[in-house]
Amino acid sequence: ECGVFGISGHEEAAAVTALGLHALQHRGQEAAGIVSYDGKHFHSERRLGLVGDSFTKKPVINRLPGSSAIGHVRYSTTGEPALRNVQPLFADLAGGGFAVAHNGNITNALTLRGELVKNGAIFQSTSDTETILQLIARSKLAYDSVIEDEQVSRFIDALGSVEGAYALVALTGDKLIGVRDPFGIRPLVIGKLDNFFILSSETCALDIIGAKLVREVSNGEVVVISDQGIRSFMPFPVAPYRPCIFEYIYFARPDSVVGGLSVYECRKKIGQQLAKESTNSGEVVVPVPDSGVPAALGFAEESKIPFQLGIIRNHYVGRTFIEPAQKIRSLGVRLKLNANKSTIKNKKIVLVDDSLVRGTTSHKIVKMLYDFGAKEVHVRIASPEI
């Protein structure tokens, strides 16, 4: 997971970035951070917890002056949940300050890190993202006649050593940069608010600030936004487009558009297809809220079985999938979801969920439905087995 956001040229850049991160909060609830640039200095505020815990407060936003900013919401895949791993990461490099925020997983990060440390690099975090900063710092590529910018040239040179999934937003003294890995595994879009360009993990973050979608960043594309407008480079070897299917199943917000497709419509159609492939042995279709709702609606529509909210979600508890500890996940299920007795008692239930990752939550939900009087529970999972 993780969400990235960036804006260039807006006088309230940090406040707009905070709004964008709010819309991307579903992509990570562990930590959030913003780096801004005011024409002379970079400013960084990074916090553990939700965006609203810190970045709705005026004193925090006031410490982030400038007309350019990038932000990040974190769900950790590498590195412990400590403040030193909260992004965006910032470093003073030979060509000036450089901040970067990353959604993805660098598969050769440990190998690269080992080589860098052997050659004298000093790491401040355990995040795989810092590997990119270290590679930029050590790049010997001073200038590229096509790109005509030393920092961008070194950034691209550094990414040539990196393998895996990445959607990156970066900020220099005069440029906002967006990069997507050659396979386009993680999402990144370009938006426009008046005359200001925006980079975001999802289109829902553009909607919250009234920005328009320009287009997706292509797989393997580097976009450079400056006072001169937007420039595009395709510096990496051509690879087939391989977006992560889990964006459509679970990660992305249903009101986002990914790869030109409405995530909500995709999930609903998956539910319709699921009904075609299933034996319709229930009396009511019950979604596991909230991510199972569109698939359950599609299932109910296709199967002609009534749709009911048989489980009610408490929206003030974080997603159990995000919680890192198994004990917390086990405790969190009952805090978050409760059976709606009137719709499930003595009923044969078709329980529709978007995916089954660990199965620990699903097991407890089924038990809860039986505890509250369900006659039968038939589990239907919208995504295929892996």
Side-chain angles (χ1 to χ4, degrees):
E1 295 206 68
C2 290
V4 297
F5 188 92
I7 186 165
S8 175
H10 195 287
E11 60 183 15
E12 298 285 349
V16 173
T17 300
L19 282 170
L21 294 181
H22 259 294
L24 298 172
Q25 186 76 85
H26 60 288
R27 298 190 70 88
Q29 288 119 43
E30 198 173 284
I34 296 174
V35 170
S36 70
Y37 182 69
D38 66 4
K40 288 185 179 179
H41 305 289
F42 286 87
H43 307 271
S44 175
E45 292 287 332
R46 300 181 298 155
R47 300 281 194 282
L48 294 171
L50 302 175
V51 176
D53 292 343
S54 303
F55 293 98
T56 51
K57 296 174 176 67
K58 212 170 182 183
V60 178
I61 294 297
N62 287 345
R63 288 198 294 270
L64 292 163
S67 60
S68 296
I70 63 170
H72 187 268
V73 285
R74 183 169 196 253
Y75 167 69
S76 60
T77 48
T78 62
E80 79 273 24
L83 193 59
R84 63 179 179 155
N85 287 327
V86 179
Q87 296 185 39
L89 298 182
F90 173 79
D92 269 313
L93 305 179
F98 196 97
V100 64
H102 169 213
N103 169 214
N105 238 37
I106 297 170
T107 53
N108 64 338
L110 285 175
T111 307
L112 291 171
R113 187 187 181 102
E115 291 168 3
L116 287 161
V117 169
K118 205 181 288 182
N119 291 322
I122 299 168
F123 279 79
Q124 300 295 321
S125 76
T126 54
S127 167
D128 58 353
T129 310
E130 192 180 356
T131 308
I132 296 168
L133 279 176
Q134 296 281 1
L135 289 168
I136 299 166
R138 284 161 185 268
S139 172
K140 298 292 188 283
L141 187 65
Y143 192 78
D144 185 294
S145 58
V146 176
I147 297 162
E148 298 175 343
D149 183 281
E150 187 177 315
Q151 279 187 306
V152 178
S153 299
R154 288 185 174 186
F155 187 28
I156 292 169
D157 182 46
L159 291 175
S161 306
V162 169
E163 295 169 5
Y166 54 84
L168 298 160
V169 293
L171 187 64
T172 72
D174 59 353
K175 290 178 177 65
L176 175 67
I177 310 162
V179 192
R180 212 166 163 203
D181 69 74
F183 294 102
I185 297 168
R186 302 257 66 85
L188 191 64
V189 298
I190 305 166
K192 203 171 185 184
L193 177 64
D194 300 325
N195 295 318
F196 314 115
F197 282 106
I198 294 163
L199 294 167
S200 174
S201 290
E202 290 185 41
T203 61
C204 63
L206 304 179
D207 297 337
I208 198 175
I209 56 170
K212 296 281 187 288
L213 173 65
V214 176
R215 63 176 178 87
E216 284 201 328
V217 176
S218 299
N219 52 310
E221 184 182 14
V222 178
V223 292
V224 180
I225 298 161
S226 66
D227 292 342
Q228 282 74 51
I230 187 165
R231 297 177 72 198
S232 169
F233 305 98
M234 300 293 290
F236 308 115
V238 177
Y241 182 44
R242 293 285 183 266
C244 174
I245 194 67
F246 221 51
E247 292 291 343
Y248 290 104
I249 292 163
Y250 179 81
F251 285 155
R253 236 171 69 165
D255 52 333
S256 283
V257 174
V258 176
L261 300 170
S262 158
V263 173
Y264 175 80
E265 290 300 331
C266 285
R267 289 177 186 171
K268 203 172 165 195
K269 284 178 182 175
I270 288 169
Q272 289 169 342
Q273 183 61 30
L274 182 64
K276 289 175 185 174
E277 296 176 15
S278 303
T279 52
N280 298 331
S281 49
E283 295 169 315
V284 290
V285 174
V286 171
V288 177
D290 286 328
S291 51
V293 171
L297 283 167
F299 192 104
E301 204 173 273
E302 181 65 33
S303 65
K304 306 292 190 290
I305 300 172
F307 174 92
Q308 293 283 1
L309 292 176
I311 300 170
I312 304 301
R313 180 184 165 192
N314 175 1
H315 287 87
Y316 301 95
V317 180
R319 277 159 40 169
T320 50
F321 178 71
I322 300 294
E323 293 287 357
Q326 178 61 42
K327 281 184 180 175
I328 301 293
R329 276 195 298 273
S330 302
L331 286 171
V333 174
R334 216 47 180 286
L335 287 172
K336 179 180 145 183
L337 301 172
N338 195 33
N340 187 6
K341 290 182 198 176
S342 64
T343 59
I344 64 165
K345 195 167 184 184
N346 297 321
K347 294 279 198 321
K348 295 178 182 178
I349 292 164
V350 180
L351 182 70
V352 179
D353 204 356
D354 58 279
S355 58
L356 194 152
V357 180
R358 283 182 268 260
T360 50
T361 303
S362 299
H363 176 82
K364 285 178 169 53
I365 291 169
V366 171
K367 185 179 183 301
M368 179 179 71
L369 292 174
Y370 277 122
D371 288 346
F372 279 81
K375 195 187 290 180
E376 295 175 9
V377 181
H378 301 267
V379 178
R380 298 288 177 265
I381 304 295
S383 58
E385 291 179 43
I386 298 171

